[in-house]
Amino acid sequence: MVFKFKRAIQRSSNKGSKADINSNDTTSSSASAAPPAVGSTASAPAAMAAASQPVLANGSFEPLPLFRDVPSSERQNLFIRKLQLCCYIFDFTDPTRNVKEKEIKRQTLLELVDYVTSGTGKFTEAVFEDISKMLVVNLFRTLPPSSHENTGSETFDPEEEEPTMEPAWPHLQIVYEFLLRYVVSSEIDAKLAKRYIDQSFVLRLLDLFDSEDPREREYLKTILHRIYGKFMVHRPFIRKAINNIFYQFIFETERHNGVAELLEILGSIINGFALPLKEEHKLFLARALIPLHKPKCVSMYHQQLSYCIIQFVEKDYKLADTVIRGLLKYWPVTNSQKEVLFLGELEEVLEATQAAEFQRCMVPLFRQFSRCLNSSHFQVAERALFLWNNDHFVSLVAQNRQVVLPLIFTALERNTRSHWNQAVHGLTLNVRKMFLEMDQEVFQVCQLKFQEDEAKAKGLEEKREDTWKRLEAAGTLLANNSSMKGVTVLSDRMLSTLTASGVPPQGQMAVVGN
């Protein structure tokens, strides 16, 4: 399908003069693309480029000359004309429409990428304006709703759902490549470019991270990272904007496609934080990163999240206590796979933890480990027992064995007696043997206390069963006497039975007869 435009173009005979353009676009109802809106003010080069739009008299959409076919003095004007050609947006939902025009635009985009990459010279401010316009028109769009939003389904599982791929990717990919080359180019003056790559531009880029297409998110990740590195003035704003995305994800929607990519950018940013860490960065850890363990879909981005957390602990070992207590706060109760992830992350955190910080949190930590050791899900119990294969972890435990062993001894004994999984049973015996060799005296004290507690528990259980038997006997006696009329008060014998069983006097009951 060709574009039908009626244009009245007046040109000056002199080469550098301005051109006035009056265009009335009358596309047919079947046309799938339209030129973008142009601002009321335009620079002289932009007007010249617009005057030379690649539209022939017969209305066909034709390519512009190659850069190598024009004199070097004309290349920047040709560059602007190519930018304006690429502002036409096509409908990719029907692959059979505008095939020729789509290919012309694709080839033109590739030429623009090559031109920026070649570094042929500094760009003027007018060029920046046209570059910005082309990027905005092509990239910033309303993302389509996810499939679960279309169906109204509440049971959304990002691991199971197939992502929706962007149909316009043949063009979008090259536009992203152009933006990347544009940002990293040494020919681009950052002080001038920041007027166009401003906070609004960055925010709209961040909105695109919710795209379902992983190819788009990968480009966005690289580009935003480069922007963060080149435009230092935007760094605090970018960190704050990412914070806000995380807050909305954690506390409102629990749905966002780009959390992993944003965390990957942050991992590199955190790695470059200067020491001592600013209070702002510590608050970011406590208020955003640690709560990211809360959503159900944490497995989708846990690897990147764990890397960020470890970066903080390695930079400031005093944060280990904050991180460990944060993990315990969001510890899953019914999700065994999340527990396995948490145990793996804890091992990495403990690897960077020093003795003083370990002592601050070891009591609640090993209470949780005790519950994990007795988990009926063998992967949870197995992963917890694997911690004793870590030399640094064993060293910390050995230094604090008088506190640690009493906390987990009961769990170890129960596993050796009754855990259904043979691998867990064998690993438990190995850990038990390790503690015995580590400190036989503490081990024997714990074993003696365990036996005493076991005997006490057995006695309480026998007493409870005996009490129920006496209550059943008293109930049978009451049933035999239920034939009397009126209100029958429990006999002294019944009361004495209840009192002996530990039921207080206010537990007296009145039974209504027939």
Side-chain angles (χ1 to χ4, degrees):
M1 183 65 191
V2 296
F3 294 87
K4 298 178 181 178
F5 300 105
K6 293 182 180 178
R7 294 179 177 272
I9 304 174
Q10 295 180 346
R11 299 184 183 178
S12 173
S13 57
N14 294 328
K15 210 170 193 181
S17 64
K18 294 184 179 180
D20 297 326
I21 303 174
N22 297 314
S23 65
N24 294 316
D25 300 331
T26 56
T27 57
S28 66
S29 59
S30 62
S32 59
V38 181
S40 58
T41 60
S43 61
M48 290 174 64
S52 304
Q53 285 293 334
V55 181
L56 299 183
N58 61 3
S60 62
F61 191 83
E62 295 294 336
L64 291 165
L66 299 175
F67 284 109
R68 64 171 179 264
D69 295 337
V70 299
S72 58
S73 60
E74 294 294 323
R75 285 177 184 171
Q76 194 152 118
N77 284 342
L78 179 60
F79 179 71
I80 293 175
R81 292 166 62 195
K82 288 180 181 287
L83 285 171
Q84 293 188 342
L85 182 148
C86 292
C87 285
Y88 293 107
I89 306 301
F90 295 93
D91 181 6
F92 278 82
T93 55
D94 184 356
T96 64
R97 296 173 66 180
N98 307 120
V99 176
K100 177 186 173 183
E101 289 80 8
K102 289 175 183 176
E103 180 59 23
I104 290 172
K105 179 178 175 180
R106 194 183 74 85
Q107 290 297 333
T108 306
L109 285 168
L110 290 171
E111 291 172 29
L112 291 175
V113 171
D114 290 340
Y115 185 80
V116 173
T117 306
S118 64
T120 54
K122 294 279 186 181
F123 292 125
T124 64
E125 187 167 357
V127 176
F128 283 123
E129 187 175 339
D130 282 286
I131 290 173
S132 178
K133 189 180 300 180
M134 189 275 286
L135 292 171
V136 167
V137 167
N138 282 277
L139 296 180
F140 300 147
R141 64 208 188 278
T142 302
L143 295 174
S146 302
S147 56
H148 68 274
E149 293 175 351
N150 287 331
T151 59
S153 173
E154 292 296 329
T155 58
F156 171 63
D157 186 352
E159 292 183 332
E160 298 293 333
E161 297 286 338
E162 285 294 328
T164 302
M165 308 305 278
E166 175 57 54
W169 186 245
H171 285 180
L172 272 179
Q173 179 183 12
I174 309 172
V175 176
Y176 276 121
E177 186 66 29
F178 174 86
L179 175 56
L180 177 60
R181 301 294 180 182
Y182 168 63
V183 170
V184 303
S185 174
S186 59
E187 301 299 326
I188 303 299
D189 184 358
K191 292 181 180 179
L192 190 58
K194 73 180 181 182
R195 300 178 192 174
Y196 300 94
I197 302 179
D198 55 6
Q199 292 184 357
S200 174
F201 187 92
V202 170
L203 273 180
R204 296 175 80 178
L205 269 184
L206 284 167
D207 287 340
L208 293 174
F209 272 88
D210 201 19
S211 169
E212 286 194 40
D213 194 327
R215 302 168 300 179
E216 182 169 13
R217 298 199 304 271
E218 190 67 22
Y219 260 108
L220 286 165
K221 176 187 71 177
T222 306
I223 291 166
L224 185 64
H225 190 202
R226 295 293 188 175
I227 291 174
Y228 186 91
K230 186 160 188 171
F231 301 95
M232 296 183 66
V233 67
H234 292 332
R235 289 184 179 182
F237 177 79
I238 291 173
R239 293 197 300 268
K240 185 177 180 180
I242 294 175
N243 257 6
N244 292 336
I245 291 173
F246 287 165
Y247 292 153
Q248 187 178 30
F249 170 69
I250 296 165
F251 301 111
E252 293 181 20
T253 64
E254 287 199 9
R255 289 176 180 174
H256 195 283
N257 295 307
V259 175
E261 287 78 11
L262 290 171
L263 285 170
E264 200 166 333
I265 296 170
L266 285 170
S268 179
I269 292 173
I270 295 166
N271 193 33
F273 282 165
L275 296 176
L277 289 174
K278 295 179 182 179
E279 191 63 28
E280 168 202 346
H281 303 328
K282 294 179 182 178
L283 287 175
F284 169 67
L285 170 68
R287 295 179 180 178
L289 289 185
I290 292 177
L292 275 172
H293 292 86
K294 175 178 175 284
K296 295 177 182 178
C297 58
V298 66
S299 59
M300 297 293 293
Y301 55 82
H302 183 263
Q303 182 180 352
Q304 294 84 354
L305 175 60
S306 179
Y307 178 78
C308 291
I309 296 286
I310 302 305
Q311 287 289 311
F312 268 105
V313 178
E314 288 179 348
K315 282 191 170 290
D316 186 352
Y317 64 87
K318 293 181 180 178
L319 293 172
D321 178 53
T322 301
V323 169
I324 291 172
R325 289 182 183 275
L327 283 170
L328 295 176
K329 177 181 178 180
Y330 294 106
W331 199 274
V333 177
T334 59
N335 191 328
S336 299
Q337 292 305 317
K338 276 184 72 173
E339 281 196 89
V340 173
L341 291 175
F342 277 43
L343 287 166
E345 184 176 350
L346 264 179
E347 181 175 3
E348 293 188 66
V349 173
L350 290 169
E351 186 74 38
T353 302
Q354 298 188 10
E357 281 62 46
F358 179 78
Q359 290 171 359
R360 290 192 185 98
C361 60
M362 61 183 175
V363 173
L365 177 62
F366 278 88
R367 283 176 180 159
Q368 183 58 57
F369 281 166
S370 177
R371 289 189 284 271
C372 291
L373 291 173
N374 285 148
S375 173
S376 58
H377 195 294
F378 80 96
Q379 289 180 337
V380 175
E382 191 176 56
R383 188 64 187 85
L385 289 163
F386 279 155
L387 290 168
W388 274 266
N389 290 334
N390 187 299
D391 293 336
H392 183 69
F393 176 78
V394 171
S395 172
L396 292 172
V397 169
Q399 294 171 38
N400 301 277
R401 56 189 179 275
Q402 293 87 353
V403 177
V404 170
L405 185 56
L407 291 171
I408 64 169
F409 189 86
T410 300
L412 292 174
E413 288 297 308
R414 286 176 181 169
N415 273 7
T416 58
R417 297 183 182 188
S418 58
H419 202 284
W420 65 272
N421 185 270
Q422 195 61 37
V424 171
H425 186 269
L427 288 167
T428 303
L429 289 175
N430 292 339
V431 172
R432 188 176 181 277
K433 181 181 178 182
M434 188 183 297
F435 275 112
L436 180 60
E437 294 172 350
M438 192 182 293
D439 194 326
Q440 189 172 356
E441 183 179 346
V442 173
F443 187 90
Q444 289 176 347
V445 169
C446 291
Q447 191 172 37
L448 182 61
K449 185 176 184 307
F450 174 77
Q451 292 171 352
E452 290 174 354
D453 291 344
E454 194 177 41
K456 190 183 295 184
K458 187 176 180 181
L460 288 172
E461 182 64 27
E462 290 174 352
K463 185 178 179 181
R464 187 179 298 109
E465 289 181 2
D466 183 60
T467 300
W468 277 110
K469 287 178 181 178
R470 283 185 288 169
L471 284 171
E472 288 173 1
T476 302
L477 179 62
L478 182 62
N480 292 335
N481 297 329
S482 62
S483 57
M484 63 175 56
K485 296 181 180 180
V487 178
T488 304
V489 181
L490 292 175
S491 63
D492 293 340
R493 184 177 177 184
M494 178 69 175
L495 286 174
S496 63
T497 301
L498 292 172
T499 304
S501 304
V503 179
Q506 58 266 34
Q508 296 177 10
M509 297 176 290
V511 179
V512 180
N514 293 331

